[in-house]
């Protein structure tokens, strides 16, 4: 896909109007497209309190309409929202998303206008000219033009007239709902565009290309992401080399298990039913390719790793918040496998820099601290007569 990027983007409506009038002459309104095997839907939304745009491109097989590839791009908002100049706000981030695709589409369907525009250069024309690809504008609302009464029959359409010129068509895709407005974007005729839009619509008002792109662009809940992952199935298991092991809660304060993460790929790979050293030991013995084991400061997992893989490096550097972190050698006494609690004892018996034993840390209980603050404020009596606050004169 060859994308033509302008050296600079307009920053005012006067500059944008000059660009629209200059590029509108390059729009091809006849069929110049080959075999269509992949169709793509494009959509743009806002996030981060309307300060950043998020573009999504979904590539579908045609005519099966199965998702084949997708891309998401983000960019800061640089042009204000002005009707008639939407392309200068959204086209830059759409081009970023198109460049990320690994499957090149044969036809683009934009969520916006094409020729049905005051200056005959909507976002579908803009994207089509800059990418030199066949493009169709499929809008949900009417910008310019009028049309006759539209029958309530799926597939029916009426030409859209503006200034005594046919600039698009109003098309009914589902009974009892508002029509969509189809217009030429680039390198396609209106009749051919209507045929492809009808083929991409199933049982909903919008084409499947627009629905896939909108779902990629819109934020989703955690439950929706989990359902999507489960539908796609499990990826192939790659034997790990550097693993992290820690306990985690199936149900907090009731049932705990063990989570094992691949620290090279930064992803969980196994959930064990409990946190017994014997269970972890059995799993580690089945993975002789492991070279490093990162764990928490507890001795149970250290003992399991020492028994199952006695020749691998083991360090207590795994974060306790459940996130996989890179393995960092621990700065402290090594753990004795025969005594899992030796690391804690050595930690408490650490010495200061001058060789003397480090003094214990004394902590003031909350109740005692509150009592001291109360006495210092001179508002009450202390239990110790010697600590009584002085009387006011």
């Amino acid at each position: 896909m060859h994308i033509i990027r302008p050296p600079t983007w307009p920053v005012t409506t006067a500059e944008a109007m000059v660009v629209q009038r200059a590029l509108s002459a390059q729009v091809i309104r006849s069929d110049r497209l080959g075999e269509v095997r992949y169709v793509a839907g494009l959509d743009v939304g806002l996030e981060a309190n309307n300060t950043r745009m998020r573009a999504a491109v979904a590539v579908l097989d045609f005519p099966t309409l199965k998702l084949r590839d997708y891309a998401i791009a983000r960019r800061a908002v640089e042009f204000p929202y002005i009707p008639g100049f939407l392309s200068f706000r959204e086209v830059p981030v759409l081009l970023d998303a198109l460049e990320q695709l690994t499957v090149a589409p044969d036809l683009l369907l934009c969520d916006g206008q094409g020729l049905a525009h005051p200056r005959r250069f909507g976002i579908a024309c803009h994207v089509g000219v800059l990418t030199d690809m066949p493009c169709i504008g499929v809008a949900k609302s009417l910008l310019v033009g009028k049309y006759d009464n539209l029958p309530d029959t799926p597939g029916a359409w009426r030409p859209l007239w503006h200034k005594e010129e046919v600039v698009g068509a109003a098309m009914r895709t589902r009974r009892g709902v508002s029509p969509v407005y189809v217009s030429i974007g680039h390198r396609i005729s209106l009749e051919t565009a209507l045929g492809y839009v009808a083929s991409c619509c199933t049982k909903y008002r919008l084409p499947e290309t627009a629905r896939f792109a909108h779902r990629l662009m819109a934020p989703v809940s955690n439950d929706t992401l989990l359902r999507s992952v489960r539908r796609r199935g499990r990826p192939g298991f790659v034997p790990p080399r550097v693993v992290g092991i820690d306990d985690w809660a199936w149900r907090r304060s009731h049932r705990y298990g063990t989570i094992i993460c691949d620290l090279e790929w930064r992803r969980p790979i196994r959930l064990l039913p409990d946190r017994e050293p014997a269970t972890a030991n059995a799993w580690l013995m089945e993975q002789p390719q492991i070279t490093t084991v990162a764990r928490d400061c507890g001795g149970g997992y250290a003992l399991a790793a020492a028994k199952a893989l006695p020749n691998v490096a083991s360090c207590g550097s795994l974060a306790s918040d459940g996130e996989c972190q890179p393995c960092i050698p621990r700065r402290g006494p090594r753990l004795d496998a025969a005594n899992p609690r030796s690391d804690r004892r050595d930690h408490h018996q650490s010495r200061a820099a001058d060789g003397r034993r480090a003094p214990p840390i004394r902590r003031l209980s909350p109740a005692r601290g509150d009592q001291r603050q109360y006495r210092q404020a001179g508002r009450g009596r202390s239990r110790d007569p010697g600590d009584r606050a002085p009387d006011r004169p």
Side-chain angles (χ1 to χ4, degrees), residues 130-156:
L130 294 183
T131 59
D132 195 23
M133 293 185 61
C135 191
I136 303 173
V138 184
K140 298 185 286 291
S141 58
L142 185 62
L143 182 60
V144 296
K146 297 181 180 180
Y147 59 94
D148 297 333
N149 293 331
L150 185 62
D152 194 17
T153 304

Coordinates of all heavy atoms in Angstrom, one line a residue, residues 130-156:
L130 N -5.3 9.8 -1.2 CA -3.9 9.7 -0.6 C -3.4 8.3 -0.6 O -2.2 8.1 -0.6 CB -4.0 10.2 0.9 CG -4.2 11.7 1.1 CD1 -4.2 12.1 2.5 CD2 -3.3 12.6 0.3
T131 N -4.3 7.3 -0.6 CA -3.8 5.9 -0.7 C -3.9 5.3 -2.1 O -3.4 4.2 -2.3 CB -4.7 5.0 0.3 OG1 -6.1 5.1 -0.1 CG2 -4.5 5.5 1.7
D132 N -4.6 6.0 -3.0 CA -4.9 5.6 -4.4 C -5.5 4.2 -4.4 O -5.1 3.3 -5.1 CB -3.6 5.5 -5.2 CG -3.8 5.4 -6.7 OD1 -4.9 5.8 -7.1 OD2 -2.9 4.9 -7.4
M133 N -6.5 4.1 -3.5 CA -7.3 2.8 -3.4 C -8.8 3.1 -3.6 O -9.3 4.1 -3.3 CB -7.0 2.2 -2.0 CG -5.6 1.7 -1.8 SD -5.5 0.9 -0.2 CE -6.7 -0.5 -0.5
P134 N -9.5 2.1 -4.1 CA -11.0 2.2 -4.2 C -11.6 2.4 -2.8 O -11.2 1.7 -1.9 CB -11.4 0.9 -4.8 CG -10.2 0.4 -5.5 CD -9.0 0.8 -4.7
C135 N -12.4 3.4 -2.7 CA -12.9 3.8 -1.4 C -14.4 4.2 -1.5 O -14.8 4.8 -2.5 CB -12.1 5.0 -0.8 SG -12.4 5.3 0.9
I136 N -15.2 3.9 -0.5 CA -16.6 4.2 -0.5 C -16.9 4.9 0.8 O -16.4 4.6 1.9 CB -17.5 2.9 -0.6 CG1 -17.2 2.1 -1.8 CG2 -19.0 3.2 -0.5 CD1 -17.8 0.8 -1.9
G137 N -17.7 5.9 0.8 CA -18.2 6.6 2.0 C -19.6 6.1 2.4 O -20.5 6.1 1.6
V138 N -19.6 5.6 3.6 CA -20.9 5.1 4.2 C -21.2 5.9 5.5 O -20.5 5.7 6.5 CB -20.8 3.6 4.5 CG1 -22.2 3.1 5.0 CG2 -20.3 2.8 3.3
A139 N -22.1 6.9 5.4 CA -22.3 7.8 6.5 C -23.6 7.4 7.2 O -24.6 6.9 6.5 CB -22.4 9.2 6.0
K140 N -23.7 7.7 8.5 CA -24.9 7.4 9.3 C -25.9 8.6 9.3 O -27.1 8.5 9.6 CB -24.6 7.1 10.7 CG -23.7 5.8 10.8 CD -23.5 5.4 12.3 CE -22.4 6.4 12.9 NZ -21.1 6.2 12.4
S141 N -25.4 9.8 8.9 CA -26.2 11.0 8.9 C -26.0 11.7 7.6 O -25.0 11.6 6.9 CB -25.9 11.9 10.1 OG -24.5 12.3 10.1
L142 N -27.0 12.6 7.3 CA -27.0 13.3 6.0 C -26.3 14.7 6.2 O -26.6 15.4 7.1 CB -28.4 13.5 5.5 CG -28.6 14.2 4.1 CD1 -28.0 13.3 3.1 CD2 -30.1 14.4 3.8
L143 N -25.3 15.0 5.3 CA -24.6 16.2 5.4 C -25.2 17.2 4.4 O -25.6 18.4 4.7 CB -23.1 16.0 5.1 CG -22.3 17.3 5.2 CD1 -22.3 17.9 6.6 CD2 -20.8 16.9 4.8
V144 N -25.3 16.8 3.1 CA -25.9 17.7 2.1 C -26.8 16.8 1.2 O -26.7 15.6 1.1 CB -24.9 18.4 1.2 CG1 -24.0 19.4 2.0 CG2 -24.0 17.4 0.5
G145 N -27.8 17.4 0.5 CA -28.6 16.7 -0.5 C -30.0 16.4 0.0 O -30.3 16.4 1.2
K146 N -30.8 16.0 -0.9 CA -32.2 15.5 -0.7 C -32.4 14.3 -1.5 O -31.8 14.0 -2.6 CB -33.2 16.6 -1.0 CG -33.0 17.9 -0.2 CD -34.1 18.9 -0.6 CE -34.0 20.2 0.3 NZ -35.0 21.2 -0.1
Y147 N -33.4 13.5 -1.1 CA -33.8 12.3 -1.8 C -35.3 12.1 -1.7 O -35.9 12.6 -0.8 CB -33.0 11.1 -1.3 CG -33.2 10.7 0.1 CD1 -34.2 9.8 0.6 CD2 -32.4 11.3 1.1 CE1 -34.4 9.5 1.9 CE2 -32.6 11.1 2.4 CZ -33.6 10.2 2.8 OH -33.7 9.9 4.2
D148 N -35.9 11.3 -2.6 CA -37.3 11.0 -2.6 C -37.6 10.0 -1.6 O -36.8 9.5 -0.9 CB -37.7 10.6 -4.0 CG -37.5 11.6 -5.1 OD1 -37.6 12.8 -4.7 OD2 -37.3 11.3 -6.3
N149 N -38.9 9.7 -1.5 CA -39.4 8.7 -0.5 C -38.7 7.4 -0.7 O -38.7 6.9 -1.9 CB -40.9 8.6 -0.6 CG -41.7 9.9 -0.1 OD1 -41.1 10.6 0.7 ND2 -42.8 10.1 -0.7
L150 N -38.2 6.8 0.4 CA -37.5 5.6 0.3 C -38.3 4.4 0.8 O -38.8 4.5 1.9 CB -36.2 5.7 1.1 CG -35.2 4.5 1.0 CD1 -34.7 4.3 -0.4 CD2 -34.1 4.8 2.0
P151 N -38.6 3.4 0.0 CA -39.4 2.2 0.4 C -38.7 1.6 1.6 O -37.5 1.6 1.8 CB -39.4 1.3 -0.8 CG -39.1 2.2 -2.0 CD -38.1 3.2 -1.4
D152 N -39.6 1.0 2.5 CA -39.1 0.3 3.7 C -38.7 -1.1 3.3 O -39.2 -2.1 3.9 CB -40.1 0.3 4.8 CG -39.6 -0.1 6.1 OD1 -38.3 -0.1 6.2 OD2 -40.4 -0.4 7.0
T153 N -37.8 -1.3 2.4 CA -37.4 -2.6 1.9 C -35.9 -2.7 1.9 O -35.3 -1.8 1.3 CB -37.9 -2.9 0.5 OG1 -39.4 -2.7 0.4 CG2 -37.6 -4.3 0.0
P154 N -35.3 -3.7 2.5 CA -33.9 -3.8 2.5 C -33.3 -3.9 1.0 O -33.8 -4.6 0.2 CB -33.6 -5.1 3.3 CG -34.8 -5.3 4.1 CD -35.9 -4.7 3.3
G155 N -32.3 -3.1 0.8 CA -31.7 -3.0 -0.6 C -32.3 -1.9 -1.4 O -31.7 -1.5 -2.5
A156 N -33.4 -1.2 -1.0 CA -33.9 -0.1 -1.8 C -33.1 1.1 -1.6 O -32.5 1.4 -0.5 CB -35.4 0.2 -1.4

